[in-house]
Amino acid sequence: MLTSDFFAQDTLTVARALLGCYLVRERPEGRRVCRITETEAYIGRIDKACHAYGYKRTKRSETLFMPPGTIYNYLIYGMYYCLNLVTEAEGEPCAVLLRGAEAVLGEEDMARARFGKGLAECSANQRKNFLNGPGKLCRALALTREENAKALSPSLLWVTNDPAEFGLPMLTTAPAREVQISKRIGIDYAEEATDFPWRFVLLPASLTE
DNA sequence: TTCAGGATGTACT
DNA sequence: GTACATCCTGAAC
């Protein structure tokens, strides 16, 4: 399990390193696991797109000042949540937004949470766009304001780069996958920060061969 | 395949 | 009152 030491690192380092890691959500019905494929860095010290830009403290941004490894989950557009993991030292308002993933375990439960029906009844488009957005990820993993400001923990939500830790036997060696770096999404209001190359995407294996 | 429009609640000014 | 780190649907191409 990745601990607060990992999240205490530089935010861009963490955002890059989280690609390919497994996000594990513990629920009464069972475990839901996905592999992280898309992240973005938010660094309050210098970043107009960050809710805590210039160390601004508000009721919402307060979570960003908490210790590394804290969950920052907030409501957006009235109906979706965005999952972030707090980085750097306590008091330094930074986080990594998780924007996309691939389902690994508990896919049936994720489908029920997303669409209210089983995987078999989902359309091809629904399956194709399963976890490719921050709102979708939170819906599939049943993450809401309930989890905001809590620490990552083995009984709630945690992250690892070792599949053995969540009960998967040795996976076949995965092919290397290329990382694409680009501008962040949906922050056109953020002036010069709009163009910061702080988005990291793990490209599909098929594009790497 | 792309695109416009609507759903929806709350933090912040 | 305004803006928002979004997503889905249905229409047009």
Side-chain angles (χ1 to χ4, degrees), chain A residues 19-194:
Chain A
L19 292 181
C21 289
Y22 300 89
L23 181 63
V24 186
R25 170 63 163 146
E26 305 291 352
R27 296 246 70 197
E29 327 77 79
R31 210 167 243 175
R32 302 180 197 180
V33 181
C34 60
R35 191 160 187 243
I36 298 165
T37 57
E38 182 176 345
T39 63
E40 286 179 0
Y42 286 82
I43 303 176
R45 191 169 61 250
I46 54 174
D47 179 8
K48 286 180 181 162
C50 183
H51 295 155
Y53 170 60
Y55 297 92
K56 184 173 69 172
R57 285 180 184 263
T58 65
K59 185 178 176 197
R60 182 175 63 174
S61 73
E62 200 60 37
T63 305
L64 287 165
F65 293 85
M66 293 177 74
T70 300
I71 297 164
Y72 177 41
N73 219 30
Y74 68 90
L75 184 68
I76 189 69
Y77 297 116
M79 38 192 338
Y80 297 102
Y81 289 90
C82 285
L83 172 63
N84 297 248
L85 303 176
V86 174
T87 56
E88 305 201 16
E90 181 171 0
E92 214 28 77
C94 305
V96 173
L97 167 67
L98 304 187
R99 290 193 57 90
E102 298 165 351
V104 174
L105 280 180
E107 204 167 354
E108 185 69 21
D109 287 333
M110 294 187 202
R112 298 240 170 246
R114 281 268 278 124
F115 306 110
K117 58 188 179 187
L119 200 54
E121 303 160 73
C122 291
S123 70
N125 249 16
Q126 286 175 324
R127 285 212 278 254
K128 182 176 142 199
N129 299 317
F130 203 55
L131 299 177
N132 62 342
K136 301 175 191 179
L137 194 56
C138 285
R139 186 69 72 96
L141 296 181
L143 294 169
T144 66
R145 58 159 51 72
E146 274 294 299
E147 286 71 36
N148 180 54
K150 292 184 175 169
L152 288 172
S153 92
S155 60
L156 186 72
L157 180 72
W158 51 287
V159 184
T160 181
N161 51 22
D162 179 7
E165 287 188 21
F166 54 86
L168 264 199
M170 183 64 80
L171 297 172
T172 54
T173 308
R177 286 168 62 173
E178 197 177 337
V179 174
Q180 183 177 72
I181 301 178
S182 60
K183 299 180 189 180
R184 293 172 294 173
I185 303 294
I187 54 159
D188 291 346
Y189 59 88
E191 301 178 22
E192 80 282 352
T194 303

